[in-house]
Amino acid sequence: MSRLRRALAPKGTFVITGGETDGRWLGGVDRQVRAVMLSPFLGQKLARCGSLVMVHAETETIVERSVSELNAQGKLDPSNMPSARPSSAELDAAQSVLDLAARTGAAVYLVHVTSPEVANAIAGARSRGVAAFGESCPHYLLLDESV
């Protein structure tokens, strides 16, 4: 984790991040999320410590398949970004994280939420007593594929 991210992460916050993949689009972090929260005791331990698990939710396999298909078709320009990162990847990962949070009692914070479906899933989890939070970014709220 960079010094900046360490400085910005509140004490007691467990941050799961992705990374650049040789100039291509970022990969998801679903394997890391499941490994952390499904380890024999870590999800419950995070809950007991009052930690907040921050997740950029995307199912890596969905993103990898989409990127692979676009690369095979030679569609590498930025206009194909929405196709590389389908909203189904975000919703699938968000639902997994929210389910794990419900089962372990860990608090989760979904960063950079891009779709109303994920926002609704967070609201639904909260209504069932899950400590779930989310945030979005102005460009996800104001821009669409027509820009």
Side-chain angles (χ1 to χ4, degrees):
M1 182 184 299
S2 72
R3 287 183 2 190
L4 176 61
R5 290 192 86 147
R6 278 194 299 273
L8 293 176
K11 188 175 181 175
T13 301
F14 189 87
V15 181
I16 299 173
T17 65
E20 288 285 343
T21 56
D22 63 16
R24 294 193 183 110
W25 298 296
L26 294 175
V29 294
D30 60 309
R31 292 179 193 141
Q32 295 173 35
V33 171
R34 289 181 178 95
V36 166
M37 293 182 73
L38 285 177
S39 69
F41 61 90
L42 192 52
Q44 290 85 4
K45 188 171 179 80
L46 288 168
R48 284 195 304 275
C49 293
S51 292
L52 178 65
V53 179
M54 297 177 69
V55 179
H56 183 274
E58 287 185 298
T59 297
E60 190 171 6
T61 53
I62 295 173
V63 172
E64 287 173 351
R65 183 175 52 243
S66 298
V67 169
S68 178
E69 289 170 3
L70 289 169
N71 285 335
Q73 297 168 13
K75 296 180 177 179
L76 304 176
D77 60 281
S79 68
N80 293 300
M81 181 69 157
S83 298
R85 308 192 89 69
S87 60
S88 60
E90 180 185 11
L91 182 59
D92 181 72
Q95 288 172 331
S96 293
V97 169
L98 294 169
D99 179 55
L100 292 169
R103 291 193 325 222
T104 63
V108 295
Y109 185 92
L110 300 178
V111 301
H112 309 149
V113 172
T114 67
S115 74
E117 294 82 11
V118 172
N120 289 335
I122 294 168
R126 290 177 58 86
S127 72
R128 294 185 301 279
V130 177
F133 309 92
E135 56 83 7
S136 190
C137 302
H139 52 281
Y140 296 134
L141 302 173
L142 301 172
L143 303 177
D144 63 18
E145 295 174 24
S146 68
V147 177

